[in-house]
Amino acid sequence: MAEESGDTDTDGDGELEARLADQETFDPPESFVEQANVADDGIYEEFEENWPDCWERAANLLSWDQEYETVLEDDDAPFYKWFTGGELNASANCLDRHVEDGAKNRAAIKWEGELGETRTYTYGDLLNEVEEFAAALRDLGVEEDDVVTLYMPMIPELPIAMLACARIGAPHSVVFAGFSADALATRMNAADSEYLVTCDGYYRRGDALNHKEKADKGLRGVDHEVTSVVVDRLGDELNHFLGNSAHDYDELIEEHAGASVEPVSRDAEDMLFLMYTSGTTGQPKGVKHTTGGYLSYAAWTSHAVLDVKPEDTYWCAADIGWITGHSYIVYGPLALGTTSMMYEGTPDYPERDRLWELVEKNGVDIFYTAPTAIRAFMKWGSQYPEEHDLSSLRLLGTVGEPINPRAWKWYYTHIGGENCPIVDTWWQTETGGMMITTLPGVGTMKPGSAGPPLPGIDARIVDTSGEQIEAGDAGYLTVQNPWPGMLRTLYQNDERFLAEYWQEYSDEESDEWVYFPEDGAKIDDDGYITILGRVDDVINVSGHRLGTMEIESAIVGVEGVAEAAVVGGSHEVKGQAVYTYVILEEGQGDSESMRERIVEGVEDAIGPIARPEEVVFTPELPKTRSGKIMRRLLEDLASGEELGNTSTLRNPEIVDEIAARISDSD
Ligand code: PRX
């Protein structure tokens, strides 16, 4: 792990590093506390005493067309309903009301292209284009409740399409642009989605990538008719790819210039969007989020945790293709009327100081990223941020995976100048927004620990029987009460929703429902929670959640492969990397070309993010006497850790052989 890695830090501040290393806790600077949206620690008690009505505080951040009657309805738990009777529109909350309040000329989205182009959309501009595209979608036949799939990289048309869908009450399902054609098809089929908005291509490290070709290939795997729209991102460069029956985004916008589309009043519980995520089985889960609960929770956490204010320039450097981008690039910040930055490219293009250049240039106040990025910055060295004036920053955040204390302290020192609190935010696609983190204007920070549960969230660490465990011991994270941003179900699959999240620790007879996020964790005497990682067959590669079963089924789909096991091995920058152990069919030589076909098979089924770090051919997999693969052992082998007891194995001799094959390939 990065803890042991050589830091290429050459700035000679070893003394400072040493002092920070000894320091276990950090308090937010007075200058931050004075201006914080939430600065009173009484908020925890206030939420507890007033639960569930405390959540009105979140709902009050929004404008409702129709006031809700009930904060929480729990008669049909765990199918909870929030703010029932209420009606609202998400795009009106993110756009119209700010324009009406005089913020028409404030920047809503500041976009930075990889090659240096920029585009700024004021709230007025954004509203206009959202209305025009909403009108176009309607003309193409999109009706309320139709699922529209959006398969686009980080270009402004992605949030525009999201808000246009929201405006007409059509849930969107965004598929990460890095996912493969097959992954797109699987998600469109699962959601019966008859509409697709995509683009011709985009830039990565200076190269124009052909995205349309991938989208077309995906469409060939969709089992129903699809109407598609293509955004022309690359201009002349790849124009020739726009050759089929798809509609051209720019033409649609031109045809609908000046259109005005009334935002549809949606019931609070109506679906705002679907987001597919990986789980234990090979089939991705369609997480359903609602209009009232999700939006109020995204807005509330942006206000309380990210301390977003309308006058800020706020930057969440995630991709909108993941939940982080939905909640904290689009919905949360825009609901609060701030300026949200979007960056198209990679952090090291053209140089490794790109992000810091953008922070300086735009005077960014708040910066939110993933530990994997911080570990890469740390590896590159502090000379890159030092070239820039980062003094506009007042708050930093991390999300997606555990952050090791060393990376935390590097971020605190070299990016935050020891003057910005850091919020280490634990949450999931399913939770809709942050759940466990310090409040930056209130809490003491402990590097490596996310912090206490947010006000109103009852997170507890339990043992296998559901009993709360002692401080310091490792156990399972649970959430013992509902919250507005929670998923409502898995799309068209209530049974899987119950089985995946509620079955483990709930007591149905006594109507006690406990949400199980499938993470291991421990808690300390101050109630601070440290997340230990997933306890299901999901691995976290660079903050991206991947199902090992999905990867395994891609590998066994490659001709000549008999069996495969996939685990996460620890990786200095990515956190975890994909390790695959493969048994080939009789007579199939383990050649380089076989390895390539396996890697290709995974990239075709999922995308380059799932690319195996290592393909280890083995004649057998270590199995228990009952025939179960000992994954723990494969994980230890991948991470180069000391192996535990192998005596319960049916085939202990295979372990040394696998270890030898891994070290051979190093
Ligand atoms: O294991 C936890 C890890 O990421 C998982 C959720 O992944 P996903 O749904 O893709 O959402 C990621 C962005 C919210 C969790 O089950 N995780 C997320 N945040 C943290 C984390 N692990 C440790 N610390 C965090 N701050």
Side-chain angles (χ1 to χ4, degrees), residues 260-306:
S260 125
V261 174
E262 269 303 294
V264 170
S265 269
R266 297 280 280 168
D267 189 283
E269 280 294 305
D270 278 344
M271 172 156 57
L272 178 61
F273 67 86
L274 265 181
M275 164 130 264
Y276 282 88
T277 186
S278 297
T280 305
T281 70
Q283 192 64 16
K285 307 190 272 197
V287 170
K288 175 183 159 180
H289 280 298
T290 57
T291 311
Y294 169 83
L295 192 64
S296 54
Y297 200 69
W300 163 249
T301 45
S302 298
H303 168 85
V305 181
L306 294 172

Side-chain angles (χ1 to χ4, degrees), residues 324 400-402 424-429 519 531 534 540 545:
T324 306
E401 41 173 334
D424 172 358
T425 60
W426 176 89
W427 58 292
Q428 307 180 295
T429 305
D519 268 342
I531 307 295
R534 302 285 305 191
N540 195 327
R545 180 167 154 184

Side-chain angles (χ1 to χ4, degrees), residues 230-489:
V230 183
V231 175
D232 177 7
R233 158 71 187 106
L234 298 177
D236 289 341
E237 191 141 6
L238 282 179
N239 235 354
H240 53 282
F241 293 125
L242 283 166
N244 69 6
S245 61
H247 299 266
D248 178 47
Y249 178 90
D250 293 330
E251 277 172 24
L252 290 176
I253 291 292
E254 216 168 282
E255 278 164 28
H256 295 86
S260 125
V261 174
E262 269 303 294
V264 170
S265 269
R266 297 280 280 168
D267 189 283
E269 280 294 305
D270 278 344
M271 172 156 57
L272 178 61
F273 67 86
L274 265 181
M275 164 130 264
Y276 282 88
T277 186
S278 297
T280 305
T281 70
Q283 192 64 16
K285 307 190 272 197
V287 170
K288 175 183 159 180
H289 280 298
T290 57
T291 311
Y294 169 83
L295 192 64
S296 54
Y297 200 69
W300 163 249
T301 45
S302 298
H303 168 85
V305 181
L306 294 172
D307 202 51
V308 166
K309 300 176 174 63
E311 57 277 14
D312 285 332
T313 297
Y314 156 86
W315 187 10
C316 166
D319 192 295
I320 296 177
W322 306 100
I323 192 70
T324 306
H326 278 51
S327 302
Y328 300 115
I329 297 177
V330 183
Y331 286 114
L334 296 185
L336 297 181
T338 197
T339 300
S340 185
M341 289 242 323
M342 267 180 88
Y343 173 52
E344 178 186 40
T346 48
D348 54 352
Y349 190 85
E351 295 296 336
R352 288 171 165 180
D353 67 338
R354 184 63 191 271
L355 301 192
W356 319 127
E357 179 206 323
L358 294 179
V359 167
E360 179 173 9
K361 182 181 134 195
N362 293 288
V364 172
D365 299 87
I366 302 162
F367 182 71
Y368 188 36
T369 192
T372 185
I374 299 165
R375 289 191 296 264
F377 304 147
M378 186 164 101
K379 216 174 153 202
W380 298 340
S382 57
Q383 65 274 26
Y384 296 104
E386 269 159 22
E387 284 165 20
H388 297 279
D389 177 4
L390 305 182
S391 60
S392 59
L393 290 169
R394 92 166 177 273
L395 175 66
L396 302 175
T398 78
V399 57
E401 41 173 334
I403 179 161
N404 45 305
R406 187 170 153 83
W408 193 102
K409 286 171 193 160
W410 190 92
Y411 195 34
Y412 184 75
T413 309
H414 296 289
I415 308 303
E418 290 188 79
N419 206 26
C420 302
I422 297 180
V423 284
D424 172 358
T425 60
W426 176 89
W427 58 292
Q428 307 180 295
T429 305
E430 291 87 342
T431 68
M434 301 154 174
M435 300 288 282
I436 300 173
T437 175
T438 48
L439 285 168
V442 172
T444 298
M445 297 160 272
K446 299 186 187 186
S449 164
L454 281 175
I457 303 296
D458 184 7
R460 300 185 202 175
I461 316 300
V462 301
D463 62 18
T464 41
S465 61
E467 291 300 315
Q468 231 168 306
I469 58 156
E470 301 267 314
D473 292 344
Y476 301 96
L477 179 61
T478 59
V479 185
Q480 312 239 351
N481 61 357
W483 65 99
M486 67 197 302
L487 81 163
R488 297 302 191 268
T489 191

Side-chain angles (χ1 to χ4, degrees), residues 73-266:
E73 251 182 50
D74 59 1
D75 333 339
D76 190 23
F79 297 95
Y80 295 98
K81 293 193 177 109
W82 287 89
F83 310 124
T84 50
E87 286 179 19
L88 75 167
N89 180 282
S91 96
N93 268 281
C94 291
L95 302 170
D96 306 53
R97 63 175 181 151
H98 305 314
V99 170
E100 282 153 24
D101 288 351
K104 183 167 173 243
N105 296 324
R106 186 186 305 144
I109 292 179
K110 265 190 169 180
W111 178 81
E112 296 274 353
E114 200 189 63
L115 303 184
E117 301 155 72
T118 60
R119 278 199 250 166
T120 298
Y121 290 79
T122 63
Y123 274 93
D125 299 335
L126 198 59
L127 174 59
N128 288 344
E129 194 156 329
V130 164
E131 289 197 75
E132 287 160 357
F133 194 52
L137 287 174
R138 267 208 183 136
D139 272 0
L140 293 175
V142 178
E143 289 180 5
E144 207 175 333
D145 294 318
D146 285 346
V147 177
V148 178
T149 301
L150 309 178
Y151 185 45
M152 276 185 272
M154 288 290 282
I155 54 176
E157 288 79 1
L158 175 53
I160 289 168
M162 290 164 78
L163 293 167
C165 287
R167 194 162 193 89
I168 58 174
H172 52 75
S173 166
V174 178
V175 177
F176 174 57
F179 274 140
S180 68
D182 287 1
L184 171 68
T186 310
R187 285 158 180 75
M188 289 194 75
N189 285 330
D192 294 319
S193 174
E194 296 176 349
Y195 299 91
L196 171 70
V197 187
T198 185
C199 71
D200 57 349
Y202 56 103
Y203 292 103
R204 247 328 152 266
R205 294 208 165 82
D207 295 330
L209 299 190
N210 187 343
H211 189 62
K212 173 75 169 28
E213 199 176 51
K214 215 163 61 163
D216 277 344
K217 190 171 165 221
L219 283 181
R220 288 197 285 277
V222 177
D223 53 23
H224 51 261
E225 282 289 305
V226 175
T227 301
S228 53
V229 177
V230 183
V231 175
D232 177 7
R233 158 71 187 106
L234 298 177
D236 289 341
E237 191 141 6
L238 282 179
N239 235 354
H240 53 282
F241 293 125
L242 283 166
N244 69 6
S245 61
H247 299 266
D248 178 47
Y249 178 90
D250 293 330
E251 277 172 24
L252 290 176
I253 291 292
E254 216 168 282
E255 278 164 28
H256 295 86
S260 125
V261 174
E262 269 303 294
V264 170
S265 269
R266 297 280 280 168

